[in-house]
Structure formats: C-alpha cells, structure tokens
Amino acid sequence: MCFPKVLPCLETPFVIDPIMSVQTAQPPPPSRFVRARPGWLYVIRRYEFIVLTLVLLVGYAAFLLPTADTPPALRLISIGGFILLVLAWCVNILADGEKPDWLKGLVALGFIATLGWLFYRYSGTKWDRLSKSFFNFQKMRGAWPELLKGLLVTLELSAVSAVFAIIIGLVVAVLRSLGNRTLNIFLIAYLDIFRSIPMIVLMVVIYYALPYVGISLKSVTAAIVALSVGYGAYAAEAFRSGIESVHYGQTEAARALGLTRFQTMRLVILPQAIRVVIPPLTGVLISMLKDTAVASVVAAPELLKRAREVYVGKANPTALVMAAMIYLVILFPLARFSNLLETRLKGRLRRR
C-alpha cells in the first residue's frame, strides 16, 4: 500500500500523488487578519443603508427643521446638525471608490441644492424686492437690441485684438530667440512695462493723452490698440515658453541639414512649440475678452457701456445683470474648452 510523501524541505507543503504523478499545492491556512464578518464600513456603504438614511434626512427636513417662531439658539443647532448629517451622508458616497460617477455627480449637485434651499428659507432675504430690482424683465422691453449691438462690438474688439496680439507676441518671441543682447533690452522693457500697466490705465492714456501729441484715435480703435499691445506682451511670454520647450538638438539638427535660422524656426521649432503654446494662449485670449468691458471708459459702445445706458434710462440694474449673464454664457464654454484642450495636448505629449 502506497502513501503520499510530503516534501519536508518546502515551506508550502507539496504532496506527490503516486497515481497522478502531479504536484498539487495545499491551500494555505486561513489568516487571522481576515474578518469573518463584514465591518461597519461595508454596512454603511450598502445601497439599502444609503436609501434608509436618505429617508431619515427627508423626515428631518420635513419635521425637525425650525420654524419662524423657533428661538435663535435652537434654530442654529437644528440647522447646523442637519447640515452635518447631510454632509456625512454625501461624504459616505463620494469617498466610496465603487460607486459610479453619475451617482457621485448627483450627490454633489444635491448637496449644493440643499444648501441653496436652506439659504433661501432661513437667510431672511427679501426675495420679492431683490427680483424687482435685479431681475425685472419688464424693464428690459426694448433694451435687448441695445445689448445685442454692444455684444457685437465686444466680439469685434476681442477678435481683432486677438489677431494683433498673437502677431505681436509671435514676433517678439521669435526676436527674443535670436539672442541679441541689445535687442533683448528693448523687448524685455516692452514686456515688463505693458504687463505692469493696468488695462484701464493703458486705454485712458491711448485715448486721452495721445491727442496732445497729434495722434487722435476713435474709441474702438483706441481699445483695439490697447488690448493688442497689452495682451501681446502676455502672448509673447506664452510663445517664448513654447519655443524654449523644444530641445536644442532640434535646432542643431536643422542647421546641420543646411536650413537657415528662419527656416529652422518656421519649419522645425514653431510646429512643435505651438502644441505647448495653445493652452496658455487660449487663457490669455479669454482674459482679453473679459477686459473688453474696460473699453467703456473710453466710450467704446461695447456690451457693458450699452448695459449702463439702459440702466440709466430704465432706472433699474437688470440690464447690468443680463450683461453679466451674457459674459458668463460666452466665457464659460471657452474656459471649459481651454481646459479640455490643455488636457488632450498634455496626454498626446506624454504618449510621445
């Protein structure tokens, strides 16, 4: 009769089956560090517990939140406790890596909505007076065409100024890459001066001071010049960072192939640098679009100036609020596009 032989020299015992002639490993003994029953973290992250606590929070909001005649101290305790419970409930979901992203997004939006509802209910704000003062759309009758005209002027200012700012920035960055010390003194002086002067001061100087030296510009032209020269300095720094990000060996290889300095810059350096330049340059152009509102100080008929005229004529600031909403509708997608573009370009550069 044959018995299995255990190899004593191995830490994990192997059993030799004389019939199958195959080595099979014995399962390890159960570890004492493994829980026999799930812990409390497992329980509170189950969907049954989440739904049950959500029902309890809704009951808290319906029956335990203070009313108008509740003492201030008790009101503070009740509202503070409710906010802490809601925050703990949200953190329980947001901190769980196994929960789907769509659920986490809904929970975050729900928390913001809850805070907004609490502010609306207990802040004591006179919402009727606020709506009549800042959201009175009856006062906007006949004012929308004026805002549209101002928006078109704003877009014109930003588009033309963006083209000139990019041209100025590219030329200055290329000239700085030449390494001429004398030329760099003037270029660096331009960059430091125009990045230090506020845009409103620059527009006032160009529009009101230049006529004393025989140079008179219209309000729109003065705004374009100020935006182009001012933001050209920021664009130049963005282009310079992109040019310097290209390895110097690229320049040496191009010169070894017989390319001139201009051809090297145009065919080798700039095509590689533009991928690094696009994200910060997009941010510069978005800032320039916001600063078109400053053109109202030189009487340029852009969006903010039109809104101020409507505000004076209607004796109601609703037009200013609508102008702010128009800026938000235009700039928010551009800002998101800039972030998305930066993320994609960084991903491509890493893969390379």
Side-chain angles (χ1 to χ4, degrees), residues 4-16:
K5 296 181 180 180
V6 179
L7 300 179
C9 59
L10 299 177
E11 295 181 359
T12 302
F14 284 85
V15 178
I16 301 179

Side-chain angles (χ1 to χ4, degrees), residues 2 13 21 48 55 65 72 74 80 87 131 148 150 177 212 219 224 231 246 252 298 320 325 330 333 340 345:
C2 297
S21 299
E48 294 85 352
V55 173
L65 283 179
L74 185 59
L87 181 61
S131 61
L148 179 59
S177 66
Y212 289 95
S219 58
I224 290 175
Y231 279 94
V246 180
E252 294 180 342
V298 295
L320 297 175
M325 295 302 296
I330 295 175
L340 178 62
L345 290 176

Side-chain angles (χ1 to χ4, degrees), residues 40-41 99 128 241 265 280:
W40 63 274
L41 287 176
K99 295 295 186 295
D128 53 346
S241 63
M265 180 62 65

Side-chain angles (χ1 to χ4, degrees), residues 15-339:
V15 178
I16 301 179
D17 192 345
I19 300 176
M20 303 298 296
S21 299
V22 177
Q23 294 182 357
T24 57
Q26 294 290 339
S31 175
R32 60 177 180 177
F33 298 104
V34 177
R35 287 180 178 270
R37 291 177 294 178
W40 63 274
L41 287 176
Y42 174 78
V43 175
I44 66 174
R45 291 180 178 178
R46 291 180 61 86
Y47 285 102
E48 294 85 352
F49 181 84
I50 291 174
V51 174
L52 177 61
T53 51
L54 178 61
V55 173
L56 294 177
L57 287 175
V58 173
Y60 191 125
F63 300 105
L64 298 181
L65 283 179
T67 58
D69 54 350
T70 304
L74 185 59
R75 173 182 296 188
L76 181 62
I77 294 173
S78 178
I79 296 175
F82 178 71
I83 293 176
L84 290 177
L85 290 176
V86 172
L87 181 61
W89 185 85
C90 295
V91 169
N92 180 36
I93 298 176
L94 296 177
D96 190 354
E98 297 180 356
K99 295 295 186 295
D101 292 337
W102 64 266
L103 179 60
K104 295 180 180 180
L106 289 178
V107 168
L109 291 176
F111 180 71
I112 296 174
T114 302
L115 293 180
W117 173 71
L118 291 173
F119 180 80
Y120 175 79
R121 184 175 178 180
Y122 297 106
S123 64
T125 304
K126 298 179 180 179
W127 298 105
D128 53 346
R129 295 182 59 182
L130 181 67
S131 61
K132 289 181 181 180
S133 298
F134 294 96
F135 298 95
N136 192 345
F137 293 98
Q138 294 180 355
K139 296 288 186 178
M140 291 297 295
R141 292 179 181 177
W144 293 107
E146 295 296 323
L147 295 183
L148 179 59
K149 293 178 182 179
L151 176 60
L152 294 178
V153 175
T154 296
L155 296 178
E156 178 186 357
L157 284 174
S158 59
V160 177
S161 301
V163 173
F164 284 110
I166 291 174
I167 294 174
I168 293 173
L170 180 59
V171 171
V172 172
V174 171
L175 292 178
R176 285 197 65 184
S177 66
L178 298 179
N180 191 315
R181 293 184 179 180
T182 304
L183 182 61
N184 283 343
I185 293 176
F186 296 97
L187 296 177
I188 293 175
Y190 160 73
L191 295 175
D192 292 343
I193 291 174
F194 284 95
R195 286 190 302 165
S196 303
I197 299 178
M199 185 55 59
I200 187 172
V201 176
L202 186 59
M203 286 189 181
V204 168
V205 169
I206 292 176
Y207 184 70
Y208 292 104
L210 289 184
Y212 289 95
V213 295
I215 303 175
S216 298
L217 300 176
K218 295 182 179 180
S219 58
V220 176
T221 306
I224 290 175
V225 172
L227 291 170
S228 302
V229 175
Y231 279 94
Y234 292 99
E237 288 297 290
F239 278 112
R240 184 179 67 87
S241 63
I243 292 173
E244 292 182 352
S245 67
V246 180
H247 196 271
Y248 186 73
Q250 300 285 330
T251 303
E252 294 180 342
R255 298 302 298 273
L257 293 175
L259 298 180
T260 62
R261 181 175 295 180
F262 176 75
Q263 291 175 334
T264 301
M265 180 62 65
R266 181 173 62 90
L267 300 176
V268 179
I269 304 300
L270 289 181
Q272 300 180 64
I274 197 67
R275 297 174 182 175
V276 182
V277 170
I278 286 178
L281 187 61
T282 306
V284 169
L285 297 181
I286 291 175
S287 299
M288 185 179 64
L289 178 58
K290 290 191 296 184
D291 272 352
T292 54
V294 183
S296 60
V297 300
V298 295
E302 45 80 44
L303 178 60
L304 182 59
K305 186 176 185 301
R306 297 284 188 178
R308 291 173 62 185
E309 291 175 353
V310 174
Y311 162 61
V312 173
K314 302 286 186 177
N316 188 274
T318 304
L320 297 175
V321 177
M322 293 300 104
M325 295 302 296
I326 292 173
Y327 278 115
L328 180 63
V329 170
I330 295 175
L331 292 172
F332 184 78
L334 291 178
R336 295 305 308 160
F337 172 75
S338 174
N339 294 336

